[in-house]
Amino acid sequence: MSYISSYCHISSTIYSVNGQVANTFESGTLDEIISELYTSLDIKYSKFHKMDQLSKIGFIGTELIKRDFPAIDNYGENDIAVLFANRRSSATTDINFLDSYQDGGIPSPSLFVYTLPNIVIGEISIRNKWFGENMFTISNHFDANYFANYCDILLQKSSEAALCGWVNVDDNKIEAFFFFITKKDIKQLNLQLNSEKLTEIYRAI
Amino acid sequence: MITYIGSENIISPLGNSAEENFTHVSNGKSGIELFKNVGVGKEDLYLSKIKSLEVDHKFDYLLSNCLDSIINASSDNIINSEDTIVIISTTKGDIQENLATPIQASVDKLQQDYNLAHTPLVISNACISGVLAMNTANNFIQANSYKHAFVIGADAISSFVLYGFQSLYAVSDEPCQPFDKERKGITLGEGAAGVLMSSDPTVFKKESFEFVEGTSSNDANHISGPSRTGEGLYRTVNKTMELGGVKTSEVDFISAHGTGTLFNDEMESIAFDRLEMNAIPLNSLKGYFGHTLGAAGLIESAISMQSMRNNTVVKSLGYANDGTSGGINILTENIEKELTTFLKTASGFGGCNASAIIRKVK
């Protein structure tokens, strides 16, 4: 049995933590919204500025979860599995990389390294010194059944917790949902992990 | 409960079955050739490219042909069973012809064409995708989520990926030479491979193996450079061995990742040294197939399963002189001996590493 101990949503208009709206954004470009979110975190992490949008949103979502659930620091460095997913892989960066060479230009190495969706997991692992299980999957819809089942499976094996993210940054829209799964209901949110509960909180905003 | 693995298939320039591929590999034949005007600025480059594959949507073709072969090597009708999941491993899918939805469009089509009971799970986790896909299948089977998993990995050569690796100065101007002193980088390849994994040994038409355990670990170090200490690789192999209850002395050979880049191969040698696996015969199969990205873990596992069937570990093609600091046993000749157990490893961008152990059923 596993529990959802923290969750947050980020869209192009609001972000919320555990279902409570934490901030709303004035209309702006994606880069402006991402910049506003990063500034509101009040952290200095120079690597953030070279990331693509997918990695930036993944990074910010993880920071929001950590802030809501500081006990995350008590886990060992191999303990936390990171499972992320989205609809369109690294599509936005793929297009930017293609644009870099299409009209006789020189292919951009700094864009190319972000043309793999799991780079966001790498960025989060580097930031937090997490050496646990990794997996990036691609699906048309948020697959609550997969996340609930696979978190349970990993937590019954060698992982103690799982950080999950459904992270879409395409067509000038952000749709992201992050949740942290633990073996005990440490924060007593009373959210036992199953696909129905996960679907319910995913849709709640 | 045992997870069984078998019905392996490979599609590559060396052939369309695991047997055909293994025959060529064991004779030292490579799929790598020089192609004219393919690189940035029309540079000639070595590739392991399937020349006969002149179809639209190569990725779709590779997926379905590979799946067909596994279906033919297994019991009737399990592909459509409620107890079956299809797991697909790829990095860039159909990127050459479908930039907008390079993976999902092909997977949706596959699900419809084969009338699958469940939506396939698509794993896109850089170069460890193939090993991760087998690990995930094993986890599902052990948890009783599914009884059977068809696991297929495929990637096609695209200018997108080729130019990308060229932009990183990671492409060799000769056929790749993993672990060799003179190695200069990767040779890009294309192909597909797949296996059936199941809790039921009777679904395989030929003898199957035991998939003992598989895990992954991140280096937490750099997104495109391997860890200097081989941290993630060291950790995943340790974890897999420990969870699987397998001792180093039981591992007959290692199918390493061995891309042919300076830093990757050095990292692997350091990890295997730390693991005290120096004496275990080891190969990289990239000299035969190039780097096939999302297909690599499955192609190399399928060849290693063929190795066990034929009791022959194949040499690490392209390797002549030791070019890494770990002091590991890279094969310069094929070895014929009774084989029981092998370790498969993979490492990729994003600092990811995965490992798996497969052995003959006791």
Side-chain angles (χ1 to χ4, degrees), chain A:
Chain A
M1 208 180 291
S2 323
Y3 295 89
I4 305 163
S5 283
S6 177
Y7 62 95
C8 75
H9 293 75
I10 303 174
S11 80
S12 313
T13 51
I14 62 161
Y15 85 83
S16 68
V17 178
N18 296 333
Q20 306 296 312
V21 174
N23 205 352
T24 58
F25 308 117
E26 299 300 320
S27 59
T29 65
L30 274 197
D31 284 332
E32 284 165 357
I33 291 167
I34 289 169
S35 174
E36 191 181 328
L37 267 166
Y38 178 74
T39 308
S40 73
L41 290 173
D42 196 25
I43 49 172
K44 292 265 180 294
Y45 188 66
S46 60
K47 288 194 179 97
F48 179 83
H49 305 286
K50 69 170 181 62
M51 294 179 196
D52 74 344
Q53 291 176 340
L54 179 64
S55 288
K56 282 179 174 170
I57 293 294
F59 177 92
I60 289 166
T62 306
E63 293 298 314
L64 292 173
I65 294 277
K66 281 161 60 186
R67 225 157 257 215
D68 180 59
F69 190 79
I72 203 166
D73 290 339
N74 299 337
Y75 286 96
E77 51 188 21
N78 295 318
D79 288 349
I80 300 175
V82 184
L83 303 180
F84 274 37
N86 73 9
R87 281 190 197 92
R88 288 180 57 198
S89 181
S90 50
T92 304
T93 302
D94 290 358
I95 293 164
N96 291 339
F97 173 66
L98 189 77
D99 285 346
S100 76
Y101 66 80
Q102 206 157 35
D103 296 316
I106 296 164
S108 160
S110 54
L111 285 171
F112 180 63
V113 294
Y114 285 95
T115 62
L116 291 164
N118 63 296
I119 297 298
V120 59
I121 297 176
E123 293 286 12
I124 292 165
S125 301
I126 293 166
R127 159 78 175 166
N128 298 292
K129 288 285 159 214
W130 289 342
F131 297 87
E133 293 281 331
N134 285 185
M135 188 146 84
F136 200 104
T137 53
I138 293 170
S139 58
N140 285 327
H141 308 284
F142 174 66
D143 191 344
N145 193 39
Y146 154 73
F147 274 114
N149 184 30
Y150 209 58
C151 284
D152 270 338
I153 288 174
L154 290 182
L155 266 58
Q156 281 164 28
K157 278 189 87 173
S158 60
S159 301
E160 295 295 318
L163 174 73
C164 303
W166 169 248
V167 193
N168 296 278
V169 193
D170 298 301
D171 305 325
N172 277 316
K173 276 197 311 234
I174 303 169
E175 187 212 333
F177 171 49
F178 300 89
F179 47 102
F180 191 68
I181 305 299
T182 54
K183 285 184 172 175
K184 290 186 179 155
D185 192 11
I186 301 168
K187 275 181 66 186
Q188 304 201 326
L189 294 181
N190 207 16
L191 298 172
Q192 194 183 318
L193 178 65
N194 57 53
S195 65
E196 291 76 26
K197 186 55 79 182
L198 205 49
T199 305
E200 188 186 314
I201 63 169
Y202 162 65
R203 288 186 181 154
I205 296 291

Side-chain angles (χ1 to χ4, degrees), chain B residues 293-349:
Chain B
L293 310 174
L298 283 152
I299 288 180
E300 293 156 13
S301 296
I303 287 290
S304 299
M305 287 159 68
Q306 285 286 316
S307 280
M308 298 234 283
R309 293 186 195 280
N310 292 283
N311 290 310
T312 304
V313 193
V314 297
K315 68 178 178 188
S316 197
L317 190 65
Y319 172 80
N321 298 303
D322 193 9
T324 57
S325 65
I328 50 175
N329 183 13
I330 306 149
L331 292 179
T332 53
E333 297 294 338
N334 294 357
I335 302 178
E336 288 184 26
K337 67 176 227 185
E338 178 66 28
L339 301 172
T340 310
T341 305
F342 74 90
L343 168 67
K344 175 75 205 111
T345 66
S347 304
F349 280 177

